[in-house]
Amino acid sequence: DPKIIQKPKYLVAVTGSEKILICEQYLGHNAMYWYRQSAKKPLEFMFSYSYQKLMDNQTASSRFQPQSSKKNHLDLQITALKPDDSATYFCASSQGGLNSDYTFGSGTRLLVI
Amino acid sequence: GEQVEQLPSILRVQERSSASINCTYENSASNYFPWYKQEPGENPKLIIDIRSNMERKQIQGLIVLLDKKAKRFSLHITDTQPADSAMYFCAARRNNNNRIFFGDGTQLVVKP
């Protein structure tokens, strides 16, 4: 059973539209993250959350907004989509503290046309 | 933040030879260094890690070395197999931060 669920696995969106990428983890982890992977940037950090609080934000555009309704959820809302947003978006989680390796979800492959 | 440099970006080796990937980091406060393997169409998966209180760690055919003075760490894969072909990422984490900083990856190709 996957311990981090990302939905959907594949997503095609029209330029200018808005989409929400879902991430839920069942590892009991306290920290969650979003990364983006494309040909331009292999693993680009976007956000980190700890206990549902935003800890770090490296995304220049406010079009990307994380949403954490529960401790084990961290969704990513993307508005006004552009073709350049096409990438695979990985959610990850970690226990936090000294034992902090990541477990990655299977990713959402987003194509903006 | 933390900058992690990873080389080479592409590494081609013959089956059964060894492969080495090298990384450097900037922040001397970094204390945890994981390595991830990503196969095509898959997510990155942790394969081995080393903490700053160690200089060497081995899990089967994977060896990681850490030189804290030089702020350098490396992954060595002995007796490579075609199944080792994948993208490998090194990473570093500081003591007071959950966030892991990744290198840009090394595409390893093991030729039969």
Side-chain angles (χ1 to χ4, degrees):
Chain A
D1 284 337
K3 300 291 192 240
I4 301 186
I5 296 173
Q6 284 192 247
K7 291 186 280 197
K9 192 170 171 72
Y10 300 98
L11 185 56
V12 179
V14 174
T15 297
S17 68
E18 172 184 314
K19 293 292 178 190
I20 295 181
L21 312 186
I22 306 292
C23 178
E24 306 167 9
Q25 55 93 2
Y26 297 94
L27 293 158
H29 286 168
N30 301 316
M32 296 185 72
Y33 315 84
W34 277 101
Y35 280 79
R36 174 167 52 196
Q37 187 171 54
S38 64
K40 289 182 208 167
K41 196 80 181 164
L43 267 177
E44 182 185 3
F45 172 80
M46 299 180 75
F47 300 98
S48 73
Y49 267 64
S50 180
Y51 293 96
Q52 291 187 267
K53 287 190 170 22
L54 177 67
M55 301 302 288
D56 208 345
N57 176 0
Q58 293 290 313
T59 304
S61 172
S62 59
R63 295 186 300 108
F64 296 85
Q65 290 292 329
Q67 299 170 345
S68 181
S69 58
K70 296 184 207 176
K71 186 183 145 190
N72 68 327
H73 282 230
L74 186 64
D75 301 336
L76 181 64
Q77 179 186 42
I78 315 175
T79 57
L81 278 160
K82 303 177 181 180
D84 252 4
D85 297 330
S86 299
T88 299
Y89 291 80
F90 285 107
C91 174
S93 70
S94 72
Q95 182 59 32
L98 294 177
N99 297 313
S100 281
D101 62 279
Y102 285 4
T103 301
F104 282 89
S106 55
T108 292
R109 286 145 189 84
L110 172 66
L111 175 63
V112 183
I113 55 175
Chain B
E2 169 69 284
Q3 186 88 352
V4 178
E5 301 288 338
Q6 181 172 351
L7 288 171
S9 53
I10 300 175
L11 179 57
R12 294 187 178 88
V13 301
Q14 207 65 43
E15 186 178 4
R16 294 204 195 88
S17 66
S18 63
S20 295
I21 302 171
N22 299 294
C23 293
T24 58
Y25 60 98
E26 283 184 342
N27 195 321
S28 54
S30 294
N31 67 345
Y32 174 66
F33 306 90
W35 287 86
Y36 291 82
K37 177 183 179 183
Q38 185 178 22
E39 302 194 61
E42 299 289 319
N43 54 359
K45 293 180 175 65
L46 180 74
I47 53 171
I48 191 169
D49 56 14
I50 190 167
R51 299 188 191 279
S52 58
N53 60 351
M54 300 174 74
E55 293 178 350
R56 184 183 192 277
K57 183 173 178 179
Q58 180 165 3
I59 297 177
Q60 297 179 328
L62 301 177
I63 300 169
V64 289
L65 302 175
L66 173 62
D67 181 345
K68 283 181 293 187
K69 244 183 184 173
K71 289 190 274 189
R72 199 162 46 209
F73 58 115
S74 56
L75 173 69
H76 306 272
I77 306 173
T78 60
D79 190 28
T80 53
Q81 301 296 316
D84 293 324
S85 297
M87 181 72 88
Y88 290 80
F89 293 96
C90 66
R93 187 183 65 84
R94 291 200 314 271
N95 189 31
N96 61 348
N97 195 318
N98 289 333
R99 179 178 159 189
I100 291 177
F101 295 80
F102 288 90
D104 281 346
T106 295
Q107 183 68 52
L108 174 64
V109 179
V110 180
K111 296 175 281 186

